[in-house]
Amino acid sequence: MLRKFLTFFLCLLLLPLPDVSPAASREGSSAKNFTAPANGTSFHFFSPEAILANYRKPRIIRVGYFDQHGVFEGEGEQLSGYAVALFTAISRYTGWEYEWVRIRFDELAQRLNDGSIDISCGLSFTPERSKVFTYSRLRAGYENTCLHVARDSDMYYMDIEAFNGMRIGFFNDSLQYGVMEQFAAYHGFSFRALFFEESSEMAQALAEGRIDGYVDGVLRGKGTKVVATISTDPFFFVTRKGDTEIMPQVNEAMRQLLLNHPSFLSRLYDSYLNVTSDVPVVFTRSESRWLATNPVLRVAYSRDQDMMDPTQGSTFFYTFLKMLERQSGIRFIFVPQDSYDDCLRALVEGTADIMTDVYPKTSFLRSQGILCGKIFYNAPITLVGKIGKPRAPGQKCTVGFTKEMRSVRQAYQSTYPDDITKVFASSEECRKAFEKGDLDFYVWPYPASSLWDEPPKDGILLPTRAMYPMALGVSPQTSPYAISVLDKVISTTNTSTIDTMLLTTAPESLLSMSKRFVHRHVLESLLGVALLVGLLILFAAWRNRRRLADLRAVAFTDPVTRGPNRGKFLMDAARLLQQGERRFYLCTLNIRKLKLINRVCGLRTGDSLIRFCNREFTLRTRHGELAAYSGSGRYLLLWHCADDAEFGQRMTELFSVAEMARKLYERPVSFACGVYVIREGAEAEGTDLDGDAEAGKGARDGERSVARYLLYADTAEASIASAGGYRSQFLFYNEFIGARQLKANDIENRMVRALEQGEFLVFLQPQVCLADRRLHGAEALIRWQGPDGKMIYPDEFIPLFEQNGFIRELDLFVLDTVCSWIRRRLDDGKKVPPISINQSKALFFHANYVETVLGIASRHDVPPHLLHVEVTESMAWLDEEAFIRTLDALRRAGIGLSLDDFGKGYSSMAMLHSFGFDTIKLDRAFLAPGQEKQRSVWIIISSLVDMARRLGIEILCEGVETEDQLQKLLASHCKYGQGYLFSPPMDLEAFDAYVDAHELERK
């Protein structure tokens, strides 16, 4: 019985629900004022054959995106959002694969027209824009116009007086600016508008205090709260003007998508744009004053409502009300009534303030003399009918309801007014009337009614078009602030939260349902209590034993491979290591770039690859050995081999699986495998314990030992991953790898505190004119001096910081320190040479990099020409377009540009003219011991100097350490140099004295 009910209820939850999001609620109200884009009617029907053909010959569609909260967020493999999910759904019909191209909003029209992108999403419609873009016929979604302020702001919701004079950020060319102007004019306040290209820029400006708030399209912000929600407006897909190839397919895919899944867009809206789980509820000033009085509301509920029983604690209405209590700060007192009608009467008489659920139709509320709150859930109304009966709801049928279903009956009659309804005192009487033939249908219990019954044997459950929109009933004598506060909390609770609440509060076992029946029918239950107790105990024991077996299977089975998981592996490995002294090889094997395969080919292909590899690995695992899938593309192996040579042969054969997968999936596949050798005698801990308790403890200790060995193998595998490569590799763990990992962990644990406590120091090394040794400039270098005075050199921490991203914080620290030093010298009226600062790729390609650099320089009032940015040539190959764009922005701002480490590895002559560098720094490798004596080296240097001079670029040679090198550089006409011949790097105080003692180069 219970299984039938829960299965059916889950099916109801998965049925398309009416679109109750703001998007849906506004569609009708705005239809008179909004004219949808008209691109002409075209049909591009996707038949099953067409869909299959599209998948076999996929087309790459370049999607232009710009940073929009909720719509497009992140980048690369981390790109997500409403539009990404919608594009993915469209590809179900078109077979498209996507290339995501990050752009700025002001580039959209140009990029569409020049063909560098094919389509974008998230654009509102205006007549002016329709002259530039082709809009989709159907809306892609809706976005709100929300005013965000800092979360710690003391501003109230709709605090109009506080809005006056605010500095508010908007997107460039945003329709939300016009909406805000109308809102301000209507309420009589003014504001100052500042415009930005991306939402991350506005969030940064708010964090830095350059604006007081910003307008965005979603309720959720980073460290913000919403103090005004002004309007909701549609947005669309756009392609280039005149497009007749891509947009017709989008239109038809959207049409079929919405025909097959009517609530799809509202579900997306709830998932991405109406995310309210971490959105603080903001109250008005008046509501806050009322909440400060610690209000208490009396909640009326019927004793016959199973889903509102405080004695049970885990019922739906009770759980929902306790959630409202926590979110609002209002305390509830529960007042039981004998029936649903008594609850309504209590509201009218003022002996209760609210009740659990009423039908929110105005005519019903007026007839009862009560009010209601915001709709918090739309419950489907389902009927029980007889198999083979031809009549259907709406054909003047007789339908039975219980007296507790008064509001449900009103909701049903609004959809099927021709049907005849009959009311019964209980569900048992209603069912008996149905079995006698007095009723054509009776209502299957909705979530607030009894759930212990089940349909008759010849009965069938019939979903209907009728829905019961639930709302809190409110007494006319209740404070209006109670309604507004509770409605605001309900607004921040999305549909998925209510669905989860319904599923988690549904009865979990026959025993719990029987408890409710006994609680309500004590006298009847006493007659058969002895027999029932015996049966229930037997049933519970059988069910618990079966459930325990099912849970055990689920706990040790991976859902993707249907094979053993990490937990099973740890348990079996601990047991295997206890059985004898043998040499085992413990491996963690990872599928490289699995995330990229999932992104490009889809999760289905990625899961298929995982299952394929799992099957092949299992086939290559011998009796008495283990193989398991640990998740995220990672496998665990425990092999027994006589020596390393045998293990190497088996790994070579195992790596052939990668080549098989490459041919099967037509994608490059390789493995990285870390290995820890468990030598003979190194058994898992806890093997010498006796007794059941001791054995259990020993098993747990053994699993902990295996887990520790896996950490060693993971460390070896991570060393392979950091080294990169496209071929499958394995690496044995050794003490050197362990020590290196421990040192890296120690550095990572200390780095943030070290930066906060001033352990990082900026050193400056002079750059001089070789001819007269005048001071040309200096290069800023970073040093780390621990609390004990011991120096940690850059080659020990810089590579690690480049991997974990902390290098960005370090770069900003160096820039800020250099600017502070320059400002101090200028304030003292002293001479200042230009300072060159190395920039990592993590910072250089970060959003708003140029604005960040200029902001720091502006904060210290440092002239840009005193700053030089040094970049390496390898950065250009990461994203040449972004590289050039950033260099151009720096050049326009007056900051000097230097190319560092030229000649280290592969160097392109295109670097000399394509990117417009002011200075090229020859790598110290040219002057390495033995190199400077080769005649070819000086020929190369002379040629480079000559070419650079003709192009107007200065050459600076690093690593000058001897007079002989200096003379040869002068003979090669190299103008500038840097090295220990002139000065080692020195701290700021020593460099102050150096600058004071040397003349600057005459420009």
Side-chain angles (χ1 to χ4, degrees):
M1 175 187 69
L2 175 63
R3 185 178 301 166
K4 290 181 181 179
F5 168 72
L6 289 179
T7 302
F8 177 72
F9 192 69
L10 284 171
C11 292
L12 289 181
L13 290 176
L14 296 174
L15 283 174
L17 299 176
D19 199 340
V20 297
S21 68
S25 63
R26 283 191 57 87
E27 193 162 295
S29 63
S30 61
K32 297 179 181 179
N33 301 320
F34 174 73
T35 304
N39 298 318
T41 301
S42 60
F43 294 94
H44 189 103
F45 179 68
F46 292 102
S47 63
E49 294 81 8
I51 293 175
L52 181 60
N54 289 338
Y55 267 90
R56 287 176 175 171
K57 295 182 178 180
R59 175 180 176 181
I60 303 297
I61 298 296
R62 291 160 298 183
V63 181
Y65 71 94
F66 36 88
D67 188 19
Q68 287 180 280
H69 279 165
V71 181
F72 288 109
E73 290 190 300
E75 54 186 317
E77 293 188 13
Q78 282 72 45
L79 184 65
S80 63
Y82 180 99
V84 176
L86 186 53
F87 273 114
T88 303
I90 287 175
S91 68
R92 163 69 178 81
Y93 299 93
T94 62
W96 289 342
E97 295 181 359
Y98 299 111
E99 177 184 336
W100 306 96
V101 182
R102 188 182 180 92
I103 63 172
R104 296 179 70 88
F105 179 77
D106 56 2
E107 300 175 335
L108 179 58
Q110 175 190 342
R111 300 292 290 272
L112 285 171
N113 288 330
D114 65 21
S116 58
I117 62 174
D118 301 308
I119 193 171
S120 188
C121 182
L123 208 63
S124 302
F125 175 80
T126 65
E128 293 76 15
R129 288 179 179 173
S130 67
K131 298 176 183 177
V132 181
F133 304 109
T134 296
Y135 277 82
S136 56
R137 285 191 292 109
L138 297 174
R139 61 177 173 85
Y142 279 83
E143 65 176 356
N144 299 311
T145 298
C146 302
L147 178 58
H148 290 254
V149 298
R151 183 168 291 196
D152 58 1
S153 169
D154 58 359
M155 193 174 295
Y156 295 98
Y157 190 76
M158 293 300 288
D159 196 352
I160 302 299
E161 293 181 4
F163 296 166
N164 192 39
M166 283 183 66
R167 298 168 297 169
I168 302 178
F170 297 88
F171 289 111
N172 278 331
D173 194 28
S174 169
L175 296 184
Q176 293 168 333
Y177 172 64
V179 173
M180 192 67 186
E181 276 192 320
Q182 296 175 14
F183 180 73
Y186 179 80
H187 288 282
F189 69 89
S190 62
F191 62 90
R192 178 186 169 196
L194 291 88
F195 295 94
F196 300 85
E197 288 294 337
E198 297 184 348
S199 57
S200 59
E201 295 178 2
M202 292 195 294
Q204 181 68 23
L206 179 63
E208 294 175 356
R210 290 185 280 123
I211 57 177
D212 303 311
Y214 64 83
V215 172
D216 204 350
V218 294
L219 294 173
R220 174 174 52 90
K222 298 178 181 178
T224 67
K225 63 181 181 181
V226 174
V227 294
T229 304
I230 301 167
S231 71
T232 304
D233 301 289
F235 60 83
F236 300 86
F237 297 97
V238 293
T239 57
R240 64 177 176 81
K241 188 65 178 177
D243 166 52
T244 57
E245 181 181 5
I246 295 176
M247 191 56 78
Q249 297 189 59
V250 173
N251 288 334
E252 179 57 25
M254 284 293 294
R255 188 179 73 86
Q256 293 195 36
L257 180 65
L258 295 178
L259 283 174
N260 295 328
H261 307 283
S263 63
F264 183 77
L265 292 186
S266 67
R267 295 282 183 173
L268 279 189
Y269 179 89
D270 273 349
S271 298
Y272 293 100
L273 302 183
N274 192 34
V275 177
T276 55
S277 59
D278 58 349
V279 176
V281 182
V282 185
F283 299 113
T284 66
R285 190 181 301 272
S286 299
E287 291 167 345
S288 298
R289 289 198 193 101
W290 180 75
L291 288 171
T293 64
N294 298 319
V296 177
L297 296 183
R298 297 160 298 174
V299 182
Y301 72 94
S302 170
R303 291 188 175 90
D304 287 337
Q305 285 184 323
D306 273 350
M307 297 300 279
M308 181 56 227
D309 190 349
T311 62
Q312 297 294 328
S314 61
T315 53
F316 168 63
F317 280 136
Y318 181 77
T319 303
F320 175 70
L321 288 168
K322 296 304 285 185
M323 182 272 293
L324 293 182
E325 191 176 55
R326 289 192 304 271
Q327 297 280 352
S328 66
I330 301 172
R331 190 163 67 89
F332 293 143
I333 295 176
F334 298 98
V335 182
Q337 305 291 327
D338 291 334
S339 67
Y340 187 86
D341 287 341
D342 289 338
C343 292
L344 295 173
R345 194 174 301 111
L347 294 186
V348 175
E349 295 173 353
T351 57
D353 299 302
I354 62 174
M355 65 179 291
T356 52
D357 65 300
V358 296
Y359 181 47
K361 191 172 182 180
T362 304
S363 58
F364 174 74
L365 297 174
R366 286 179 178 171
S367 68
Q368 302 301 316
I370 62 173
L371 306 173
C372 78
K374 184 180 178 66
I375 296 172
F376 60 84
Y377 189 66
N378 276 277
I381 299 178
T382 305
L383 302 181
V384 178
K386 290 187 177 179
I387 298 175
K389 196 165 185 177
R391 303 188 71 180
Q395 299 179 349
K396 297 183 178 181
C397 302
T398 304
V399 183
F401 295 80
T402 68
K403 62 183 179 62
E404 294 299 312
M405 297 181 179
R406 183 166 181 177
S407 285
V408 182
R409 181 162 56 91
Q410 295 290 332
Y412 180 86
Q413 287 180 315
S414 67
T415 305
Y416 299 109
D418 293 336
D419 284 356
I420 302 168
T421 61
K422 291 186 176 181
V423 180
F424 297 86
S426 66
S427 58
E428 292 89 346
E429 292 183 13
C430 190
R431 177 191 175 108
K432 290 178 181 178
F434 172 78
E435 292 174 344
K436 288 179 180 179
D438 297 337
L439 299 174
D440 297 310
F441 306 99
Y442 70 93
V443 173
W444 178 250
Y446 77 103
S449 297
S450 176
L451 296 177
W452 62 269
D453 201 1
E454 65 177 359
K457 293 182 180 180
D458 60 345
I460 184 173
L461 296 177
L462 300 173
T464 70
R465 291 185 293 107
M467 305 291 292
Y468 172 34
M470 297 182 183
L472 295 177
V474 182
S475 170
Q477 303 175 37
T478 302
S479 170
Y481 295 122
I483 302 176
S484 61
V485 168
L486 293 176
D487 282 354
K488 198 162 290 181
V489 175
I490 290 171
S491 296
T492 61
T493 306
N494 55 34
T495 306
S496 59
T497 302
I498 302 294
D499 290 343
T500 303
M501 205 177 294
L502 275 166
L503 288 174
T504 55
T505 56
E508 298 177 355
S509 66
L510 181 63
L511 183 59
S512 64
M513 296 168 70
S514 299
K515 284 181 179 179
R516 297 187 185 187
F517 178 83
V518 171
H519 180 74
R520 188 169 291 111
H521 305 282
V522 177
L523 294 177
E524 296 89 335
S525 302
L526 290 175
L527 299 176
V529 65
L531 178 61
L532 284 176
V533 168
L535 291 175
L536 286 174
I537 290 174
L538 292 174
F539 178 79
W542 171 80
R543 184 176 180 84
N544 287 339
R545 191 181 304 112
R546 180 176 175 181
R547 180 176 293 179
L548 182 62
D550 292 342
L551 289 175
R552 189 177 183 86
V554 170
F556 293 131
T557 302
D558 179 76
V560 177
T561 64
R562 299 298 180 186
N565 62 6
R566 180 185 175 90
K568 177 68 170 173
F569 180 89
L570 291 176
M571 187 173 64
D572 291 346
R575 186 182 302 114
L576 190 62
L577 292 178
Q578 295 174 10
Q579 291 177 357
E581 296 186 355
R582 294 190 296 171
R583 185 185 182 92
F584 284 98
Y585 289 76
L586 183 65
C587 310
T588 61
L589 186 146
N590 187 39
I591 303 177
R592 285 173 166 165
K593 299 183 179 180
L594 178 62
K595 289 184 178 179
L596 180 61
I597 294 173
N598 286 333
R599 192 74 177 175
V600 175
C601 305
L603 291 175
R604 183 175 298 179
T605 300
D607 289 349
S608 176
L609 172 61
I610 289 170
R611 286 189 289 269
F612 170 79
C613 292
N614 187 76
R615 182 172 64 252
E616 295 298 325
F617 294 165
T618 302
L619 290 174
R620 288 161 175 78
T621 301
R622 301 168 181 170
H623 178 71
E625 298 177 339
L626 301 175
Y629 180 63
S630 182
S632 301
R634 189 178 301 273
Y635 298 85
L636 307 177
L637 305 174
L638 185 64
W639 284 358
H640 168 60
C641 298
D643 51 32
D644 293 350
E646 181 187 347
F647 176 78
Q649 293 176 356
R650 292 186 65 182
M651 288 304 297
T652 302
E653 202 275 330
L654 184 75
F655 286 163
S656 66
V657 175
E659 180 63 18
M660 296 166 59
R662 184 190 65 79
K663 294 179 181 179
L664 180 63
Y665 294 96
E666 299 181 348
R667 292 286 174 185
V669 177
S670 63
F671 304 134
C673 179
V675 186
Y676 179 73
V677 181
I678 306 175
R679 307 189 185 279
E680 297 178 7
E683 300 178 1
E685 299 173 1
T687 59
D688 57 346
L689 299 173
D690 297 324
D692 294 339
E694 288 82 357
K697 183 176 184 299
R700 292 192 295 273
D701 290 341
E703 291 177 26
R704 283 194 290 268
S705 298
V706 176
R708 187 176 70 252
Y709 297 154
L710 282 175
L711 287 177
Y712 299 150
D714 284 339
T715 301
E717 190 268 322
S719 299
I720 299 176
S722 64
Y726 65 93
R727 299 175 60 186
S728 296
Q729 303 172 66
F730 70 89
L731 180 66
F732 288 105
Y733 175 85
N734 54 45
E735 292 183 357
F736 174 75
I737 292 175
R740 186 174 60 189
Q741 184 63 38
L742 287 174
K743 187 171 184 179
N745 291 341
D746 179 62
I747 289 175
E748 285 193 315
N749 291 334
R750 294 168 52 193
M751 62 187 186
V752 175
R753 182 179 293 274
L755 185 59
E756 293 173 348
Q757 295 183 349
E759 295 180 22
F760 288 102
L761 306 174
V762 174
F763 277 49
L764 295 172
Q765 185 174 30
Q767 300 169 337
V768 303
C769 300
L770 297 180
D772 55 14
R773 300 204 181 187
R774 290 178 183 270
L775 185 57
H776 167 67
E779 179 182 4
L781 304 170
I782 191 71
R783 297 290 185 267
W784 185 354
Q785 187 174 28
D788 57 358
K790 186 177 180 181
M791 192 70 72
I792 304 175
Y793 291 97
D795 58 350
E796 298 182 59
F797 60 84
I798 291 295
L800 178 62
F801 290 175
E802 288 177 340
Q803 290 178 23
N804 64 26
F806 190 69
I807 190 68
R808 178 175 177 268
E809 307 302 325
L810 210 58
D811 285 350
L812 292 175
F813 165 75
V814 173
L815 176 62
D816 188 77
T817 303
V818 166
C819 288
S820 176
W821 180 84
I822 293 174
R823 183 69 258 160
R824 177 173 56 80
R825 298 267 314 173
L826 291 174
D827 290 342
D828 293 342
K830 297 181 179 181
K831 53 190 175 185
V832 180
I835 307 297
S836 298
I837 304 170
N838 290 286
Q839 301 290 268
S840 64
K841 62 184 179 182
L843 178 62
F844 191 82
F845 289 108
H846 193 272
N848 308 321
Y849 164 70
V850 176
E851 292 82 354
T852 301
V853 171
L854 295 180
I856 294 174
S858 175
R859 189 170 71 250
H860 292 282
D861 196 18
V862 170
H865 73 273
L866 293 178
L867 297 175
H868 280 231
V869 167
E870 290 191 11
V871 296
T872 60
E873 53 189 319
S874 61
M875 292 165 61
W877 315 132
L878 297 175
D879 187 341
E880 185 172 342
E881 183 179 347
F883 186 73
I884 294 174
R885 185 168 61 248
T886 304
L887 290 180
D888 288 343
L890 291 171
R891 188 184 301 107
R892 288 194 301 270
I895 293 177
L897 304 175
S898 298
L899 177 63
D900 197 15
D901 297 339
F902 187 79
K904 181 179 181 180
Y906 173 77
S907 295
S908 171
M909 291 299 105
M911 286 284 180
L912 294 177
H913 71 89
S914 298
F915 300 118
F917 289 105
D918 301 303
T919 304
I920 291 179
K921 300 181 68 175
L922 299 182
D923 188 71
R924 63 181 66 250
F926 282 105
L927 303 183
Q931 291 288 335
E932 83 276 12
K933 296 180 180 180
Q934 298 184 21
R935 181 170 174 269
S936 58
V937 170
W938 297 106
I939 293 175
I940 293 172
I941 292 176
S942 297
S943 300
L944 289 173
V945 170
D946 183 61
M947 282 190 293
R949 181 174 54 81
R950 293 172 182 270
L951 293 170
I953 303 173
E954 299 293 351
I955 293 288
L956 184 149
C957 189
E958 296 182 301
V960 183
E961 297 183 354
T962 66
E963 284 289 343
D964 181 58
Q965 293 172 345
L966 172 62
Q967 296 304 319
K968 288 181 179 179
L969 286 172
L970 287 171
S972 300
H973 304 290
C974 181
K975 192 172 181 180
Y976 301 110
Q978 175 183 343
Y980 276 75
L981 178 63
F982 311 113
S983 173
M986 59 191 83
D987 59 31
L988 297 182
E989 183 178 352
F991 189 69
D992 272 325
Y994 183 92
V995 176
D996 293 338
H998 290 75
E999 294 185 19
L1000 296 184
E1001 175 193 13
R1002 295 175 182 174
K1003 298 293 184 179

